[in-house]
Amino acid sequence: MTSRLRTGLIAAAVLGAGAVILAQGAAFAAPPATPPGHQPHVPADSLRALGDAVGLRIGTAVDMDALASNPAYRDITANQFSTVTAENAMKWESVEPSPGVYDWGPADQLVAFAQQNGQLVRGHTLVWHNQLPAWLNAALPSMSTEQVRALLKKHIQDEVGHFRGKIWQWDVVNEAFNDDGTWRDTIWLQKLGPGYIADAFRWAHEADPKALLFYNDYNIEFTGPKSNATYSLVQQLQKEGVPIDGVGFQTHLDTQYGLPDLKANLERFAALGLKVAETEVDVRTTLPVTPVEQTAQVGAYVSTLQACLAVRACISYTIWGFGDAYSWVPAVFPGEGAALIYDENLQPKPQYTALQDTLALASGAPGRTGPHR
Ligand code: XIL
């Protein structure tokens, strides 16, 4: 066992020990009404039902191919979660495969699925440096500042406008910082300077004034330069009157790095008057998984959920898929995997049971009953 892993395990054990969750008192505006079609058949011990009992939406990223082809995947998506995120279907390369030619098909299917199942949708993501269409990557370098501005505005307003009234939270800007807190050197920064962020939020707000608009990033769960840079950015945006509603903490964890001080970070952003959310939780480890590593994974799931439960402004806890066969991890982190809460055959793992138990324990804590946040 590495010393980092041991530190992570001890922290997990301490956090898991006394599961009394104290909610902060801040009152929030009325939650979105439960959409029509809310399924009466949701199991009482499902994550979504247990989350409902404590006013917290539990979400998953959805792989549209699996949703179409695998009935077990479909059932779990419908029964266990009260919010869904398109894992890829709303990204620029998916929605505009050729210039000016939109394909909303898969994303529309997800929105329809969510409506049928009484779920809310997180829109992901409008401005990012990855998964841009090939035609766009080819065109951008030779475009002028004004052309890029116009193109980005059109993309945001066409997409947000298409889904107007149907998206609960939009990830407007994704991953604008490096880990050392400097601006990530993306094509957007190169062409437009950091002002593209404020513009993106303003354009999105014009296109759907009711959607909650989020900045979303990874590793900001840990206190440090990246989290501090994000904190300064949102303070600056607020000072300028930019319509930002929340910050999304992706929360892609790895057992070898131990646990972040997530609750403290959620709290300091919440103290700015923002909503916060955990948006892409998964906990990867080296394969094959040892019992020690699985214990660390269980601890990490429990502590990330406890952090959200403890902060009233934390309005959703979303995992980045639920079945290990569909996880993005093995393709991106060689030798690692088993990051999700169901195994390769869609059987629940101890990570799933631990989330159930954590939600159930929280429903007994003061301040945790009542409507969604
Ligand atoms: C990932 C998807 O899970 C993969 O299927 C895709 O190939 C690449 O993108 N941060 C994000 C997500 O904001 O959009 C990424 O999703 C994972 C990291």
Side-chain angles (χ1 to χ4, degrees), residues 228-252:
N228 291 342
T230 306
Y231 188 82
S232 303
L233 167 70
V234 295
Q235 272 189 315
Q236 184 60 32
L237 293 174
Q238 288 180 315
K239 218 164 83 187
E240 292 168 13
V242 175
I244 178 169
D245 300 292
V247 173
F249 296 69
Q250 292 185 7
T251 320
H252 292 292

Side-chain angles (χ1 to χ4, degrees), residues 10-11 24 140 158 165 229 234 241 248 264 273 277 286 290 299 301 303 328 342 351 369 371 373:
I10 292 165
Q24 291 167 346
L140 279 168
D158 284 357
V234 295
T286 47
T290 63
Y301 270 103
S303 81
W328 73 304
Y342 288 76
Q351 287 86 325
T369 51
R373 313 169 195 207

Side-chain angles (χ1 to χ4, degrees), residues 128-147:
W128 196 25
H129 56 282
N130 280 336
Q131 291 180 277
L132 298 172
W135 62 263
L136 182 59
N137 279 324
L140 279 168
S142 57
M143 289 171 70
S144 71
T145 295
E146 276 323 302
Q147 286 171 324

Side-chain angles (χ1 to χ4, degrees), residues 100-173:
V101 180
Y102 289 114
D103 176 6
W104 304 114
D108 282 347
Q109 281 167 26
L110 182 65
V111 172
F113 180 90
Q115 288 176 346
Q116 279 156 23
N117 291 292
Q119 298 165 318
L120 298 179
V121 181
R122 295 197 82 260
H124 175 81
T125 178
L126 298 169
V127 187
W128 196 25
H129 56 282
N130 280 336
Q131 291 180 277
L132 298 172
W135 62 263
L136 182 59
N137 279 324
L140 279 168
S142 57
M143 289 171 70
S144 71
T145 295
E146 276 323 302
Q147 286 171 324
V148 174
R149 244 179 90 78
L151 176 124
L152 187 61
K153 178 176 181 183
K154 180 169 162 48
H155 165 67
I156 290 172
Q157 297 208 319
D158 284 357
E159 178 150 7
V160 176
H162 176 81
F163 294 109
R164 185 182 170 107
K166 297 176 179 165
I167 301 292
W168 179 34
Q169 308 171 23
W170 266 115
D171 288 333
V172 177
V173 177

Side-chain angles (χ1 to χ4, degrees), residues 87-88 91 124-125 128 131 174-175 216 218 250 252 280 320 327-328 332:
E87 184 169 0
N88 290 299
K91 292 172 180 173
H124 175 81
T125 178
W128 196 25
Q131 291 180 277
N174 201 33
E175 304 179 352
N216 193 52
Y218 63 90
Q250 292 185 7
H252 292 292
E280 305 183 15
W320 204 241
S327 169
W328 73 304
V332 177

Side-chain angles (χ1 to χ4, degrees), residues 203-216:
W203 293 329
H205 184 68
E206 279 170 23
D208 187 349
K210 292 198 179 140
L212 296 175
L213 304 184
F214 274 65
Y215 175 79
N216 193 52

